[in-house]
Amino acid sequence: MKDKKIAIIGCGNLGLTIAHGLLDDGFNAGNMIATRRNTKALSHLSDKGVVVTSINTEAVEQADVIVLAVKPYNVKPILIEIKDVLDSNRQTLVCLATGITLNELEEWSGSTLPIFRAMPNTAADVNESMTMICDNGATDEQRKSITSLFDKIGTTLYIDENLMEAATILGACGIAYVLRFMRAMIQGGIEVGFDAKTATAIVSQTMKGASELIIQNGTHPESEIDKVTTPKGCTITGLNEMEHAGFSSALIKGIVASYKKIERQ
Ligand SMILES: NC(=O)c1ccc[n+]([C@@H]2O[C@H](COP(=O)([O-])OP(=O)(O)OC[C@H]3O[C@@H](n4cnc5c(N)ncnc54)[C@H](OP(=O)(O)O)[C@@H]3O)[C@@H](O)[C@H]2O)c1
């Protein structure tokens, strides 16, 4: 990816987090082209040397990797708009839009270029995205190149396309579930004596620590829980009270409800 040019088409919430993550990782700003209709909202990127334009075809012509970061309903019209300037010998297309299939992308682009679907999350902004990827039969080299791009903004996992909707729920929506959990913990922390700022600091680092325990030790959450639950102690008393109130059940039901909703869309 080192000298490749990337065009981020539709640089809104997610597109910006990717742009920020790549730039923070040392990606050459001069090799990045960012588009949206309201280019004023991207002036901080042009200040850093990113090429900013509202003309998608102009961005695509310059790029080796084209990242479609627009809303799902904008994907087809934009592909129709840029299809004549796509170069299947040189370019790779990556679509981040929820629910748009590889078949649809092939059909709408009318091109034989390698196509990837990627599902990052907004933690890309701080280079901690969990990104799931699938493709329409790319070569190992093309896969390596796209994986290395998303590795810059976090961790990347290759999955089958039929798991892409599940990946959206667990990884992309997952950010919101975890943040709502953190908010609840902060509210509890305030009730037991901390001001909001201190409670937020404690909860954030505790959350990070718990994640790192699982990531670095490769253990199951319950075995780490066993280490902090003294018999008759305050931790198990609190945990059991949460379960009586439906804690795990609420989370699982929420995830399944989100999944059913995405399947219906
Ligand atoms: N947010 C997430 O956590 C997340 C995670 C994974 C995947 N996704 C997917 O990522 C995509 C983008 O989501 P988002 O939350 O970033 O949406 P968003 O903030 O609305 O960003 C989309 C951007 O596209 C621009 N746009 C619209 N029409 C355009 C056009 N014709 N040419 C160029 N730019 C155009 C819009 O800016 P202007 O109005 O200025 O043009 C807007 O800023 C969605 O398909 C979503 O399914 C999101």
Side-chain angles (χ1 to χ4, degrees), residues 11-42:
C11 217
N13 288 321
L14 187 64
L16 268 179
T17 65
I18 292 172
H20 293 158
L22 288 174
L23 294 172
D24 286 350
D25 189 70
F27 190 92
N28 181 355
N31 282 344
M32 185 182 290
I33 310 125
T35 82
R36 62 180 288 173
R37 289 162 305 181
N38 173 16
T39 50
K40 275 193 190 142
L42 301 179

Side-chain angles (χ1 to χ4, degrees), residues 9-15 35-39 54 56 68-72 74-75 78 81 96-98 118-122 168 172:
I9 308 292
C11 217
N13 288 321
L14 187 64
T35 82
R36 62 180 288 173
R37 289 162 305 181
N38 173 16
T39 50
S54 61
N56 293 324
L68 287 182
V70 289
K71 294 282 191 203
N74 280 324
V75 171
I78 287 180
E81 178 189 335
L96 312 181
T98 307
M119 188 48 62
N121 64 32
T122 51
T168 305

Side-chain angles (χ1 to χ4, degrees), residues 129-223:
S129 173
M130 180 67 239
T131 306
M132 275 65 72
I133 301 187
C134 64
D135 66 65
N136 69 338
T139 63
D140 283 349
E141 199 185 328
Q142 288 158 345
R143 282 184 182 167
K144 230 165 119 183
S145 169
I146 296 303
T147 304
S148 75
L149 174 75
F150 284 98
D151 279 348
K152 289 182 193 302
I153 54 161
T155 298
T156 310
L157 186 70
Y158 244 88
I159 60 169
D160 280 344
E161 189 181 21
N162 63 14
L163 280 171
M164 220 53 196
E165 273 59 51
T168 305
I169 301 303
L170 209 56
C173 309
I175 287 273
Y177 310 144
V178 171
L179 290 171
R180 185 55 69 82
F181 163 76
M182 288 176 71
R183 189 190 77 169
M185 243 180 107
I186 290 164
Q187 286 171 321
I190 296 169
E191 196 165 336
V192 296
F194 288 107
D195 62 81
K197 200 172 162 206
T198 311
T200 304
I202 294 170
V203 170
S204 306
Q205 179 57 35
T206 303
M207 187 88 198
K208 193 173 166 191
S211 293
E212 287 298 328
L213 275 177
I214 304 304
I215 292 168
Q216 290 187 30
N217 294 348
T219 46
H220 189 280
E222 206 57 36
S223 76

